[in-house]
Amino acid sequence: MVKAVVLGAAGGIGQPLALLLKANPLVTELSLYDIVNTPGVAADISHISTPAKVEGYLPADDGLKKTLTGADIVVIPAGVPRKPGMTRDDLFKINAGIVRDLANGIAATAPKAFVLVISNPVNSTVPIVAEVFKKAGVYDPKRLFGVTTLDVVRASTFVAEIVGDLSLSKDVVVPVVGGHSGVTIVPLLSQSSHPLPASVDTTSLDALVNRIQFGGDEVVKAKGGAGSATLSMAYAGAEFASKVLRAVKGEEGIVAPSYVSLEADPVGAAALTKELGTELAYFSSNVELGPGGVVKINPLGKITEAEQTLIKAAIPELQKNITTGVTFITEAKVEEPRL
């Protein structure tokens, strides 16, 4: 029996994500939560002919607690999507409080659940969840993941386009490391399972890297301000959730990039830190999954000089993003009680 939870289930990512989880044969119960419309979304999805039982809750009457009770895996797409002209800092100011409040709910009701964070900016929201869990005394770095799978999905698709055969999209594997925004997204194209054609010159390679890093901007622009990457993100989130569930069920050898705390694997972290040349609290690298979550954080391995330059450019931004998330919780002002 597996209970999956989607927090933010009535939104642009949440609805298709809930649909895909309902279709996952590993999920036997699906619990949905949002501030509006969740009962309707749950009723709609519940009619799909798959075994998972579906329930939807609103904040009233301890809705969050009811949603999370008995949860095995919690996926968080809640928050406001990025709009044209909106900076990462703007997005953080809006979504940080939402993620904090949901993390408090998880800490209180489902502290042993695997938590998959989609809410942007992931580089900062994952540290927020971690700090909330630390304050509650329930932090397990092996069970907390930032979902960076969309970067991997994009890289696979774009490489297949360049190779000239989109049917290869599901087979192309490109490790994407670093973080989950802009320059922190570092595709290791030299390690692609399907090498790029010899005709791809440096200019074309740079353009491909830029497209992977800023693919979200491409979608925001194409939607004309009406939304961001919701459908592809839902697909990516469901793909990663499925890998976590398969690993929990005992399937071995599942490796996927994810933005995790390096505390999850001190030995792997030491090797990765040596490669990076600096210490970071969080980083996205190929992670081996197991029944307890993170089993091993893999090193970067052999990379090109150009990829080393991309890593160096990513580190200062990652450090800033991580600090922003941590300090949002650790330096939060505590209001004096009113007498």
Side-chain angles (χ1 to χ4, degrees), residues 208-297:
L208 175 58
V209 169
N210 185 267
R211 191 183 181 200
I212 294 168
Q213 291 181 324
F214 297 97
D217 294 347
E218 183 178 315
V219 177
V220 170
K221 183 179 179 181
K223 289 189 175 183
S228 58
T230 53
L231 300 174
S232 53
M233 185 65 248
Y235 170 83
E239 282 286 292
F240 186 70
S242 180
K243 288 181 178 180
V244 172
L245 291 176
R246 284 162 49 202
V248 169
K249 289 288 186 179
E251 185 176 335
E252 297 181 350
I254 297 178
V255 177
S258 180
Y259 183 72
V260 298
S261 167
L262 297 195
E263 291 179 317
D265 173 23
V267 174
L272 181 61
T273 299
K274 185 175 180 180
E275 290 177 319
L276 297 175
T278 188
E279 290 189 5
L280 288 169
Y282 299 85
F283 196 82
S284 181
S285 186
N286 274 332
V287 174
E288 182 180 342
L289 303 172
V294 175
V295 172
K296 181 182 180 183
I297 298 173

Side-chain angles (χ1 to χ4, degrees), residues 97-167:
I98 296 171
V99 172
R100 174 201 59 207
D101 294 346
L102 294 174
N104 276 316
I106 298 167
T109 307
K112 296 294 186 181
F114 297 95
V115 179
L116 281 53
V117 181
I118 290 174
S119 304
N120 276 318
V122 165
N123 294 355
S124 300
T125 53
V126 170
I128 286 176
V129 175
E131 292 304 317
V132 168
F133 286 3
K134 287 175 186 178
K135 280 194 169 187
V138 298
Y139 179 54
D140 182 351
K142 295 181 180 293
R143 292 175 176 263
L144 175 60
F145 302 90
V147 181
T148 61
T149 312
L150 180 53
D151 304 322
V152 179
V153 167
R154 284 181 174 138
S156 298
T157 302
F158 300 162
V159 167
E161 287 178 352
I162 290 174
V163 170
D165 187 356
L166 272 175
S167 69

Side-chain angles (χ1 to χ4, degrees), residues 81-102:
R82 192 157 57 92
K83 298 175 182 177
M86 183 182 284
T87 66
R88 303 286 173 183
D89 289 340
D90 294 334
L91 195 62
F92 177 80
K93 290 174 184 177
I94 297 171
N95 288 344
I98 296 171
V99 172
R100 174 201 59 207
D101 294 346
L102 294 174

